[in-house]
């Protein structure tokens, strides 16, 4: 007898799904067994469903194709939620299978009862309960189309017993109808002409580029050249924009650097391309600065900064159509200034990574060493917290390397799961997780999956013994550091104990060889990089508020007998 679960798996296969990241159990057993019997799809046995959702998200991010994760009823699928929020906000196509209670028990306060259709509502485009065999094929097909077409999460909630019923007689899914290709969206000519007029009238034009610039590198270079415009990027745009780019002036935002920050403020026209960069304080305000924005999603336009012109279109097609309407700029002063500023900012950042740590390893040195030694098509994943800062500033992109993080949802503990998904999707590529000690230990169970699944992921733990990013936050807002310290094990020894090569770095002189050896190792590795806890990752501009906060923090630290922390802070940051 063909079951609903069999039909479910056949549809997934027709949509090109190659694996399902999941923790099996009770109400999910039927679907898991159908996957086993179908034979064309891998059931990736995770330790925690949340990690499975991060893994599916990374796979979808890298391939652009549908990826799938699953959890059993109640707590099993609840664990998916945080990872799914990340997938949804990063706009990657992921289908979650939320197995549900036996259908006859729904609403009775049964063991493990939750209401997934409500719980997953906010982190999905589409979330429906399958209540009968005849309903399943259409629900699953609609879920797939929404996830892929609207780029985000769909959730199919399916009671365990419904999955085991006899399948309804439905035509087999047709891949071309299941996965219609994405349209190419170009604004109407009069709107492009308005944009061209604004840009042709500008003298100091800056481009702010985000993840929507994927695939538009050539067009971006041509427009920047025509306008002699510096290019600032948001973190989501880094992997698509930064490389082979003579107009690049770095990143803006809290974790960016000064040249990006000033190129944004010091322009008369800002053109935002495929970016939803959220920090409003970094946008130019007043003084006659004009802002234009191009985005595929109308709802993104004007929601961060008030725009003078908003166009709905994809960046590549829009820039291609815009280019012939632009007159070449005859003055490159703004670009030259911004580039000069960038060279200085880059030099001082590189100096911080030089390895002259006088006893302590500065995390910048480790990040730069990873970038220097990684293969040319490496996939990097970065944990939220300071590892994201080091990744933004020190990982060199080249058009083939990829960088994934939790850049919109901002969840800790993303990097290991994303590395698992990246390595599953690309077994032959080098995958490097830049993990915080907080992030790594938060979902450490799936470190064991590297052995179980045979994945040669390189995990670099930035072991600063603290929730470092939060310590910086606390300092700059006048709080004394509190609730942030870790009593960590020797992570390298721990790795060895579970069958993974461990390399511990305690001195700056050990970093280059240690990183090179780790990356050359033919299997999973953990680098336990014991880095400076008191590292001051300076934002591009220190506001009066931050300066006040910092002064208050210093006063409080002195008064509460924690002057030694201040000495450490000064010793490791000022006297380098
Ligand atoms: C799940 C979750 N909990 C809490 C936070 C708030 N938060 C952001 S960064 C951070 C510290 C991260 O510490 P760690 O992983 O050790 O990295 P570090 O900044 O020390 O390098 C915290 C607690 C979050 N973003 N996500
Ligand atoms: Mg830490």
């Amino acid at each position: 007898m063909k079951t609903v679960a069999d039909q479910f798996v056949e549809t997934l296969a027709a949509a090109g799904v190659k694996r399902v990241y999941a923790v099996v159990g009770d109400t999910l057993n039927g679907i898991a067994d159908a996957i086993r019997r179908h034979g064309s799809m891998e059931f990736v046995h995770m330790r925690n469903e949340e990690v499975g959702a991060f893994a599916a998200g990374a796979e979808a991010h890298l391939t652009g194709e549908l990826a799938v994760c699953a959890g059993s009823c109640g707590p099993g699928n609840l664990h998916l939620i945080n990872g799914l929020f990340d997938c949804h906000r990063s706009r990657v196509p992921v289908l979650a299978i939320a197995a549900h209670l036996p259908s006859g028990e729904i609403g009775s306060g049964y063991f493990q009862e939750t209401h997934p259709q409500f719980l997953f509502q906010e982190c999905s485009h589409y979330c429906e309960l399958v209540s009968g065999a005849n309903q399943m094929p259409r629900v699953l097909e609609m879920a797939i189309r929404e996830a892929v077409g609207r780029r985000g999460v769909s959730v199919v909630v399916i009671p365990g017993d419904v999955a085991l019923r006899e399948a309804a007689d439905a035509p087999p899914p047709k891949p071309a109808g299941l996965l219609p290709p994405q349209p190419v969206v170009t604004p109407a000519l009069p709107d492009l002409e308005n944009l061209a007029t604004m840009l042709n009238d500008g003298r100091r034009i800056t481009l702010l580029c985000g993840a929507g610039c994927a695939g538009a590198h050539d067009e971006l270079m041509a427009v920047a050249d025509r306008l002699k415009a510096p290019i600032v990027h948001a973190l989501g745009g880094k992997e698509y924009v930064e490389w082979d780019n003579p107009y690049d002036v770095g990143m803006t935002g809290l974790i960016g650097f000064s040249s990006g920050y000033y190129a944004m403020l010091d322009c008369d026209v800002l053109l935002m391309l495929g970016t939803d960069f959220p920090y409003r304080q970094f946008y130019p305000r007043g003084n006659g600065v004009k802002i234009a924005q191009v985005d595929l999603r109308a709802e993104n336009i004007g929601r961060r900064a008030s725009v003078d012109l908003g166009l709905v279109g994809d960046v590549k097609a829009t820039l291609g159509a815009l280019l012939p309407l632009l007159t070449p700029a005859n003055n490159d002063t703004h670009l030259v200034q911004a580039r000069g500023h960038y060279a200085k900012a880059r030099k001082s950042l590189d100096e911080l990574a030089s390895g002259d740590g006088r006893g302590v390893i500065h995390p910048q040195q480790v990040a730069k060493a990873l970038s220097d030694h990684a293969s040319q098509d490496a996939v990097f994943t970065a944990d939220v917290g300071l590892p994201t800062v080091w990744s933004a500033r020190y990982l060199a992109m080249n058009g083939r390397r990829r960088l994934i993080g939790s850049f919109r949802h901002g969840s800790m503990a993303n990097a290991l799961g994303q590395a698992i998904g990246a390595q599953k999707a690309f077994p032959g590529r080098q995958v490097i997780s830049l993990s915080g000690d907080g992030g790594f230990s938060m979902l450490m169970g799936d470190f064991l999956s590297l052995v179980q699944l045979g994945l040669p992921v390189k995990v670099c733990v930035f072991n600063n013994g603290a929730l470092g990013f939060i310590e910086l936050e606390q300092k700059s807002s006048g709080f004394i550091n509190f609730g942030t310290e870790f009593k960590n094990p020797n992570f390298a020894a721990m790795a060895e104990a579970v069958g993974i090569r461990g390399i511990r770095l305690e001195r700056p002189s050990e970093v280059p060889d240690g990183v090179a050896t780790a990356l050359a190792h033919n299997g999973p590795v953990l680098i336990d990089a014991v880095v400076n806890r008191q590292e001051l990752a300076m934002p591009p501009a220190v506001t009066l508020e931050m300066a006040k906060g910092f002064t208050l923090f210093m006063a409080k630290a002195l008064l509460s007998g924690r002057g030694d922390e201040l000495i450490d802070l000064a010793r490791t940051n000022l006297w380098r």
Side-chain angles (χ1 to χ4, degrees):
M1 176 184 91
K2 179 162 152 181
T3 63
V4 171
D6 292 323
Q7 202 172 34
F8 198 105
V9 174
E10 277 169 15
T11 304
L12 294 184
V17 172
K18 296 183 186 62
R19 56 192 69 82
V20 177
Y21 300 90
V23 178
V24 73
D26 39 69
T27 43
L28 189 61
N29 288 341
I31 288 186
D33 191 58
I35 292 173
R36 179 185 68 77
R37 282 181 286 105
H38 188 269
S40 81
M41 205 174 294
E42 189 183 356
F43 186 90
V44 186
H45 175 182
M46 306 301 293
R47 303 269 173 165
N48 183 324
E49 297 85 349
E50 180 177 347
V51 185
F54 277 122
E59 182 176 322
H61 181 110
L62 293 173
T63 62
E65 289 162 13
L66 184 71
V68 182
C69 55
S72 59
C73 61
N77 63 53
L78 264 185
H79 264 194
L80 291 172
I81 283 189
N82 189 50
L84 289 181
F85 261 92
D86 185 73
C87 300
H88 195 54
R89 300 209 54 199
S90 292
R91 296 213 181 86
V92 293
V94 168
L95 172 79
I97 307 168
H100 199 18
L101 308 181
S103 54
E105 299 295 346
I106 296 173
S108 71
Y110 193 61
F111 176 63
Q112 296 188 322
E113 179 154 357
T114 61
H115 293 90
Q117 305 96 287
F118 302 129
L119 293 171
F120 290 94
Q121 203 56 250
E122 198 187 335
C123 62
S124 63
H125 289 306
Y126 182 91
C127 177
E128 288 295 339
L129 171 73
V130 176
S131 47
N134 58 348
Q135 183 205 5
M136 194 286 291
R138 279 176 62 227
V139 165
L140 180 56
E141 290 193 22
M142 288 186 282
I144 290 172
R145 250 180 247 114
E146 290 246 9
V148 175
R150 297 177 66 192
R151 302 190 63 80
V153 170
S154 283
V155 183
V156 173
V157 183
I158 179 161
D161 60 314
V162 173
L164 295 176
R165 283 184 202 159
E166 183 171 4
D169 193 15
K174 301 173 199 138
L178 196 53
L179 302 168
Q182 292 284 332
V184 176
V185 182
T186 316
L189 186 60
D191 300 322
L192 285 169
E193 285 168 348
N194 284 340
L195 177 57
T197 304
M198 187 192 281
L199 295 168
N200 290 335
D201 289 347
R203 293 285 163 273
R204 303 170 71 79
I205 300 167
T206 295
L207 311 181
L208 173 65
C209 297
C213 293
H217 196 269
D218 289 352
E219 290 78 4
L220 201 53
M221 295 307 112
V223 166
D225 180 57
R226 187 74 52 96
L227 299 170
K228 299 290 176 263
I231 297 181
V232 179
H233 60 267
L235 188 49
K238 180 179 163 84
E239 59 172 338
Y240 307 117
V241 168
E242 191 187 55
W243 44 280
D244 284 353
N245 180 349
Y247 311 93
D248 174 37
V249 296
M251 223 179 88
T252 184
L254 286 167
I255 65 174
F257 39 106
S258 52
S259 49
Y261 176 75
Y262 287 111
M264 287 265 289
L265 292 194
D266 189 29
C267 63
D268 62 3
V269 180
L270 177 71
L271 174 58
M272 297 168 62
L273 296 169
T275 179
D276 190 33
F277 173 69
Y279 299 101
R280 290 189 289 154
Q281 67 271 35
F282 289 89
Y283 286 93
R285 257 165 295 173
N287 301 335
V289 181
K290 293 207 158 92
I291 303 184
Q293 184 173 3
V294 176
D295 203 293
L296 192 49
R297 288 173 183 80
E299 67 270 25
N300 284 1
I301 289 178
R303 71 175 178 179
R304 307 301 177 193
S306 160
V307 297
D308 298 274
L309 184 62
L311 298 189
V312 177
D314 49 62
V315 174
K316 184 180 171 69
T318 304
L319 292 187
L322 179 70
L323 191 64
L325 308 177
L326 296 178
T327 44
N330 50 21
N331 182 334
D332 64 358
T333 320
H334 178 50
L335 175 62
V336 171
Q337 263 174 8
R339 286 289 297 170
H341 197 169
Y342 174 62
K344 273 198 217 132
R346 189 65 264 172
K347 185 158 171 282
S348 30
L349 283 177
D350 288 342
E351 280 164 9
L352 294 174
S354 64
D356 60 353
R358 304 213 189 122
V360 290
I361 301 178
H362 291 286
Q364 296 92 330
Q365 186 196 0
V366 178
K368 181 153 191 311
L370 288 170
S371 179
D372 290 347
H373 292 284
S375 63
Q376 289 308 303
D377 67 347
V379 179
F380 299 94
T381 63
D383 258 346
V384 161
L386 291 174
T388 293
V389 182
W390 313 137
S391 299
R393 295 179 180 177
Y394 294 99
L395 296 182
M397 295 289 112
N398 59 8
R400 291 168 64 208
R401 288 180 170 183
R402 303 296 308 265
L403 172 62
I404 310 177
S406 181
F407 299 152
R408 291 161 195 82
H409 182 49
S411 171
M412 279 173 75
N414 55 296
L416 176 66
Q418 290 172 329
I420 289 174
Q423 193 78 80
K424 267 280 159 208
F426 293 97
R429 276 169 86 163
Q430 189 176 61
V431 178
I432 305 171
S433 169
L434 286 80
S435 300
D437 48 351
F440 176 67
S441 52
M442 189 176 262
L443 288 175
M444 201 157 61
D446 271 286
F447 185 53
L448 305 179
S449 300
L450 300 186
V451 180
Q452 174 149 346
L453 302 173
L455 300 175
V457 169
K458 320 299 178 216
V459 179
C460 179
V461 179
F462 286 76
N463 182 357
N464 56 4
L467 298 167
F469 190 81
I470 302 304
E471 291 201 331
L472 272 181
E473 244 177 36
Q474 291 176 338
K475 286 185 178 91
S476 63
S477 40
F479 295 111
I480 205 162
N481 287 155
F482 180 70
T484 49
E485 186 169 77
F486 287 126
K487 301 219 181 308
N488 281 332
N490 177 326
F491 286 115
M494 190 195 80
E496 293 281 348
V498 302
I500 291 177
R501 171 114 191 243
I503 295 178
R504 186 156 162 107
L505 305 176
E506 294 180 337
R507 275 180 290 278
S509 59
E510 297 166 352
V511 172
D513 284 355
V515 167
T517 308
L519 296 190
H521 179 64
N522 184 20
V525 182
L526 182 140
I527 304 173
D528 182 2
V530 182
V531 297
N532 181 28
R533 173 170 172 184
Q534 298 282 6
E535 196 67 34
L536 276 185
M538 295 304 285
V542 176
T543 60
L544 188 61
E545 219 99 309
M546 286 180 192
K548 274 194 209 152
F550 202 78
T551 315
L552 193 59
F553 149 76
M554 289 199 289
K556 285 182 181 171
L558 277 175
L559 287 174
S560 45
R562 288 168 59 170
D564 49 336
E565 283 173 36
L566 296 182
I567 294 171
D568 228 30
L569 188 71
R571 186 177 59 80
T572 56
N573 288 282
L574 301 180
W575 303 314
R576 294 185 60 174

